[in-house]
Amino acid sequence: MMRGIIALAFAAALGNSAIAADMPLYRPAPVPPPVYFWTGCYVGGNVGWAQASARFNDRIDGDDGRLSSSAFAGGGQIGCDYQFASNWVIGIQGMIDWTDIKRHRISIVDPELTFNREGNWFGTVTARLGYLFTPTFLLYLKGGWGSFNDQFSVTTTTSSIALATVNKTASGGDLGVGFEWMFHPNWTLWVEWDHIFLDNSSIEFTRIGSPTRFDNINRDFDKVLFGINWRFSGARY
């Protein structure tokens, strides 16, 4: 009896092994790669370099030289993009940065005077149009409006007595170019250059014993920024 039970169990084990050998092995389906998607909104931060330049032009004596200065800049941005026609991206962005641009220079026309300049922040509101050369690499052009907090003053060179001050947030058209790389779903790195065509200004000042001077100030602003964005919807699986 016992021998019969053992023989039956052995036969059943051999049968199960044969069935298992004939069954195909189960392998989980491979995870598909992410489909990068640029439509959506984002927030981020940036650092870089900013330069403000101004040319002084005395209304009587003519060119009084240029006053240019640059400094570190850092701030943040927020925006939204829309991807269309497979490889095109259109978007809008707002940005604000802080900086510390300062410089002074003695007047060429009148060495008894010194021009001083100080700028603390700038901001832009722009639209952009870009082309995706790969699903993760975007090259774009941007344009819109930019502003720069700009303060000029004129002091006496020897005693630093203030003769006049102009504190005005200068504004003008913004034009730029850049590229952005989606290095990971929801994260991008970008680099861009912008030029802001600031509106012109003027300053009037009087020094004892000298006639009143009027100087026109022609201004421009450039920035090169490196940034990172976190996107609310950067890839689909």
Side-chain angles (χ1 to χ4, degrees):
M1 181 69 178
M2 182 60 67
R3 290 180 179 178
I5 294 174
I6 293 174
L8 183 61
F10 183 71
L14 289 176
N16 289 337
S17 298
I19 294 173
D22 293 336
M23 293 179 62
L25 295 175
Y26 171 76
R27 292 185 177 89
V31 177
V35 177
Y36 292 94
F37 195 61
W38 290 77
T39 296
C41 297
Y42 59 85
V43 295
N46 67 79
V47 295
W49 164 89
Q51 175 175 290
S53 62
R55 177 171 292 279
F56 291 83
N57 186 51
D58 183 77
R59 296 184 184 180
I60 297 176
D61 297 317
D63 185 20
D64 201 3
R66 181 178 292 274
L67 182 62
S68 299
S69 50
S70 60
F72 170 84
Q77 66 278 345
I78 184 172
C80 293
D81 288 322
Y82 176 71
Q83 183 177 347
F84 66 99
S86 298
N87 293 89
W88 291 92
V89 176
I90 191 170
I92 188 170
Q93 181 192 79
M95 175 186 295
I96 187 165
D97 282 70
W98 287 264
T99 187
D100 189 24
I101 295 177
K102 294 180 181 179
R103 195 183 172 191
H104 62 273
R105 180 183 62 77
I106 296 175
S107 169
I108 298 174
V109 173
D110 186 353
E112 294 297 320
L113 302 175
T114 296
F115 297 118
N116 307 276
R117 180 183 207 169
E118 180 176 352
N120 298 313
W121 62 266
F122 59 89
T124 59
V125 176
T126 55
R128 72 173 182 173
L129 177 65
Y131 182 80
L132 289 167
F133 286 91
T134 71
T136 61
F137 186 85
L138 177 71
L139 181 67
Y140 61 87
L141 296 172
K142 62 184 298 187
W145 194 256
S147 298
F148 173 56
N149 172 249
D150 211 6
Q151 176 176 301
F152 290 97
S153 64
V154 180
T155 60
T156 57
T157 301
T158 55
S159 57
S160 299
I161 297 175
L163 301 178
T165 300
V166 174
N167 189 357
K168 179 184 178 183
T169 299
S171 300
D174 178 285
L175 185 63
V177 62
F179 67 85
E180 190 167 358
W181 172 45
M182 189 175 289
F183 66 94
H184 188 275
N186 300 103
W187 290 99
T188 60
L189 290 172
W190 56 269
V191 180
E192 71 176 36
W193 164 83
D194 288 75
H195 180 84
I196 303 177
F197 302 86
L198 298 176
D199 54 352
N200 299 327
S201 185
S202 62
I203 188 168
E204 176 185 351
F205 50 95
T206 302
R207 182 163 55 92
I208 297 176
S210 299
T212 299
R213 276 190 57 178
F214 296 91
D215 272 29
N216 296 319
I217 308 173
N218 302 312
R219 298 180 284 188
D220 287 295
F221 186 86
D222 291 274
K223 58 187 174 78
V224 177
L225 299 176
F226 306 83
I228 187 169
N229 290 329
W230 185 83
R231 293 180 167 271
F232 296 97
S233 58
R236 292 178 176 176
Y237 292 88

